[in-house]
Amino acid sequence: MKLKSAFAAALLAATMMSGAAAAKTFVYCSEGSPEGFDPGLYTAGTTFDAAAHTVYNRLLEFKPGTTETIPGLAEDYQISEDGLEYTFKLRPGVKFHTTEYFTPTRDLNADDVVYSFERQWKSDNPWNKYVAGANWEYFNGMGLPDLLESVEKVDDLTVRIKLKRPEAPFLASLAMPFASIMSKEYLDKLEADGQMNLLNQQPVGTGPFQFVAYQQDAVIRYKANENYHNGKQKIDDLVFAITPDASVRYQKLKAGECHLMPYPNSADVEEIKADPNLKVQEQEGLNVAYLAYNTKVAPFDDVRVRKALNHAINKEAIVEAVFQGQATPAKNPIPPTMWSYNDAIEDDAYDLDQAKKLLEEAGVGNFDMKIWAMPVSRPYMLNARRAAEIMQADFQKIGVNVEIVSYEWAEYLERSKAEDRDGAVMLGWTGDNGDPDNFLHTLLGCEAVGGNNRAQWCNEEFNSLVMKAKEASEVDERTRLYEEAQVVFKREAPWATIDHSLSVVPMRKNVEGFVQSPLGDFAFEGVDLVE
């Protein structure tokens, strides 16, 4: 379904904060367009905000403002003594959305849960390849195909998941967006109608808001779920006004054209804080920005070349130019606020002489390379183009000529997965479950090559450490293994780690109930507008 452009304009105009309309409409000036509306297919926060945190629920959820799991669609669960069986008791009476294109005939049951996992897991499931190139990046990158033994229906309201081995972060994984629960009845209808592609365009879930319409690169419209199991929301309509430029987002916020925005320009933060009509929430971000070298392609297959480039990057200059003090240079692939962070590791210092020496040792003279710069603002990198320009100038000093390239966001994410990709890609990560595994295995494990592992780096020593950490039950042992893994990472340098940023969320003064997430989510359950 598409909103006509005139209607979209009228809708946004109607959501100005005049208070004239009885219904409450909340406008979020989002930073980009979603890749689609099936959260299992993607890994980008922009997509999760537009799909997983609005339309869908999961067996478990994260308590707002924390990384603690709480009951979601499962009201209770039990774990066997050996840690291999998880039995979930589903919440009775949970309704799927009734929309113009689907009317459910039953409540949520175990069939929906089983099918939601099997479609990502089983190659013979009709939904496994319903989108061209679907590789279930998160499900596979986290090693779930090798972890799961079975997902079984015990009865209508009971599901049992059996694992092949203990997995310490498993419960937290179930609260992540890729584990959103679909309606099997809706999927069956789309399959019978020969319209399976519509799942990624017209989602149906159990979440606090139900999808109404989307105009590409302009606006997404939702309305409150009247039958939500946690109660109808205080706002009646939710609008995502897609606004990629941070300066434009800020102007819209000041003018009252939206109520909340992500990722302001660092230069605007003090002015925002001084505006009597606005307020700001901020916290240390659970994030990292990085430059991933393609370790399968020369000359980046030589660790000396990767180390040389790392020594040539002036991270302090990037942090100052892009964040104006609202970030810190990164030395590890996990943020310093995360348990198991190895502070004893020494960073690759900014040292042009050492960089030139390493290139000479590698037998690499002047060469050309590409740096991929993200086209959107992210919490860990507000201005990728500016950061790339600083690296371009740095690399020129050691005889490396850089071409900066970029693509539309969805294309950027897809093309950067290619194992034969040229150059180095700038990306980053905000933790999705608060566990070091979500960074170290998800982004750098062997299973994630060709997906989240943009460095295409499979190091057996590193992989063995993070796999052992998954299975360890004691936090002290997991910490030791992760600290060792960070030593291997720093030695082998598949990335240049760039920064960890402060997360700043500006909003109108009349916004109540928004809880800033350490996971970087923008979720609007419980949000209200007050006079």
Side-chain angles (χ1 to χ4, degrees):
M1 298 172 66
K2 301 284 187 180
L3 280 173
K4 302 297 185 185
S5 58
F7 176 64
L11 173 64
L12 291 179
T15 56
M16 299 286 286
M17 278 158 262
S18 63
K24 289 184 179 180
T25 299
F26 187 97
V27 182
Y28 169 55
C29 276
S30 66
E31 78 286 1
S33 300
E35 302 149 279
F37 290 90
D38 180 348
L41 291 171
Y42 307 108
T43 63
T46 306
T47 300
F48 292 160
D49 293 340
H53 303 312
T54 49
V55 177
Y56 292 105
N57 291 120
R58 290 139 293 279
L59 290 175
L60 302 176
E61 304 284 358
F62 290 111
K63 182 179 179 181
T66 77
T67 58
E68 173 191 347
T69 57
I70 58 175
L73 295 177
E75 61 182 8
D76 194 13
Y77 62 86
Q78 294 181 336
I79 307 174
S80 63
E81 288 189 9
D82 61 7
L84 297 180
E85 290 189 7
Y86 292 72
T87 303
F88 296 91
K89 215 56 186 165
L90 301 183
R91 191 182 300 274
V94 174
K95 310 292 184 187
F96 283 101
H97 300 154
T98 297
T99 71
E100 292 180 3
Y101 46 87
F102 176 67
T103 301
T105 65
R106 63 167 176 79
D107 294 345
L108 169 93
N109 67 28
D111 293 325
D112 303 306
V113 177
V114 172
Y115 211 67
S116 294
F117 287 98
E118 287 191 343
R119 74 190 187 103
Q120 301 184 61
W121 179 26
K122 304 284 189 180
S123 60
D124 60 351
N125 185 286
W127 287 91
N128 192 254
K129 295 292 185 289
Y130 87 98
V131 169
N135 65 358
W136 309 105
E137 188 175 346
Y138 229 137
F139 186 89
N140 290 323
M142 295 183 69
L144 287 177
D146 295 326
L147 174 67
L148 295 177
E149 178 70 39
S150 63
V151 182
E152 305 168 340
K153 174 182 178 179
V154 178
D155 57 44
D156 276 354
L157 291 177
T158 310
V159 174
R160 181 172 296 124
I161 300 178
K162 295 181 180 179
L163 307 183
K164 294 178 182 177
R165 62 176 185 272
E167 172 92 348
F170 182 64
L171 286 176
S173 298
L174 294 181
M176 292 166 57
F178 81 91
S180 295
I181 303 304
M182 306 277 163
S183 163
K184 183 178 186 299
E185 186 181 17
Y186 180 48
L187 270 62
D188 288 345
K189 177 184 183 298
L190 291 176
E191 184 183 357
D193 293 344
Q195 295 183 314
M196 296 172 74
N197 63 303
L198 291 183
L199 177 63
N200 204 25
Q201 302 170 37
Q202 298 179 342
V204 169
T206 59
F209 299 97
Q210 81 179 53
F211 176 82
V212 175
Y214 173 44
Q215 181 182 351
Q216 182 77 32
D217 299 329
V219 63
I220 316 171
R221 185 182 169 214
Y222 311 85
K223 66 179 182 180
N225 177 6
E226 296 281 349
N227 299 308
Y228 188 46
H229 62 270
N230 277 341
K232 181 182 177 297
Q233 297 303 296
K234 296 174 183 177
I235 55 177
D236 301 287
D237 297 288
L238 174 64
V239 175
F240 279 36
I242 297 166
T243 314
D245 188 288
S247 297
V248 177
R249 289 199 297 275
Y250 175 35
Q251 293 305 314
K252 285 185 175 183
L253 186 71
K254 281 175 60 176
E257 295 176 25
C258 60
H259 297 91
L260 185 145
M261 64 168 282
Y263 321 133
N265 289 323
S266 297
D268 293 332
V269 171
E270 289 308 312
E271 182 179 319
I272 292 170
K273 289 180 177 179
D275 190 323
N277 297 311
L278 304 178
K279 60 184 178 180
V280 168
Q281 292 183 14
E282 58 186 4
Q283 62 181 221
E284 292 292 331
L286 199 70
N287 60 43
V288 64
Y290 60 83
L291 185 72
Y293 307 112
N294 189 341
T295 60
K296 288 189 173 184
V297 175
F300 310 107
D301 56 346
D302 190 323
V303 65
R304 292 169 297 184
V305 173
R306 302 194 297 268
K307 278 285 192 180
L309 294 173
N310 283 4
H311 280 296
I313 297 174
N314 187 342
K315 288 189 251 189
E316 293 282 359
I318 292 174
V319 166
E320 180 57 34
V322 176
F323 293 95
Q324 299 187 14
Q326 296 181 54
T328 56
K331 65 179 180 180
N332 289 329
I334 64 174
T337 52
M338 177 167 274
W339 62 272
S340 82
Y341 179 82
N342 191 342
D343 199 34
I345 285 175
E346 291 189 14
D347 202 6
D348 298 318
Y350 179 53
D351 186 336
L352 297 178
D353 289 337
Q354 177 66 7
K356 292 174 184 176
K357 178 183 176 183
L358 286 168
L359 288 182
E360 185 178 345
E361 288 177 5
V364 177
N366 293 358
F367 67 91
D368 298 336
M369 66 174 287
K370 292 180 180 177
I371 289 180
W372 293 39
M374 296 177 295
V376 297
S377 300
R378 303 303 300 145
Y380 44 75
M381 181 50 64
L382 299 179
N383 189 332
R385 168 67 64 167
R386 182 72 187 105
E389 289 169 350
I390 293 171
M391 286 188 271
Q392 181 183 49
D394 286 337
F395 289 175
Q396 183 67 50
K397 295 171 186 174
I398 61 170
V400 177
N401 300 308
V402 169
E403 177 190 356
I404 299 172
V405 300
S406 192
Y407 304 93
E408 182 273 329
W409 185 218
E411 183 181 2
Y412 184 97
L413 292 170
E414 187 59 34
R415 292 180 64 151
S416 62
K417 298 174 192 174
E419 294 186 40
D420 61 351
R421 185 203 73 236
D422 53 0
V425 63
M426 198 185 312
L427 264 175
W429 195 256
T430 299
D432 285 319
N433 66 12
D435 195 288
D437 175 79
N438 185 239
F439 285 77
L440 299 176
H441 182 256
T442 300
L443 301 180
L444 293 157
C446 291
E447 291 89 347
V449 169
N452 280 328
N453 188 339
R454 277 4 189 248
Q456 316 303 341
W457 181 66
C458 179
N459 179 282
E460 292 300 332
E461 181 184 4
F462 178 91
N463 208 63
S464 176
L465 289 166
V466 296
M467 291 303 293
K468 287 177 182 176
K470 274 178 172 287
E471 298 181 29
S473 58
E474 298 297 326
V475 172
D476 287 350
E477 176 64 6
R478 296 188 74 206
T479 296
R480 181 187 67 78
L481 291 165
Y482 286 137
E483 287 177 346
E484 287 185 28
Q486 289 166 76
V487 171
V488 177
F489 166 87
K490 202 65 185 179
R491 183 187 74 221
E492 297 300 320
W495 297 350
T497 50
I498 302 173
D499 69 78
H500 308 292
S501 72
L502 186 72
S503 178
V504 179
V505 182
M507 65 196 78
R508 301 289 299 184
K509 270 282 175 66
N510 65 332
V511 174
E512 284 194 355
F514 179 82
V515 180
Q516 191 174 9
S517 169
L519 306 175
D521 305 331
F522 285 84
F524 301 101
E525 182 173 352
V527 171
D528 195 9
L529 296 172
V530 297
E531 293 301 325

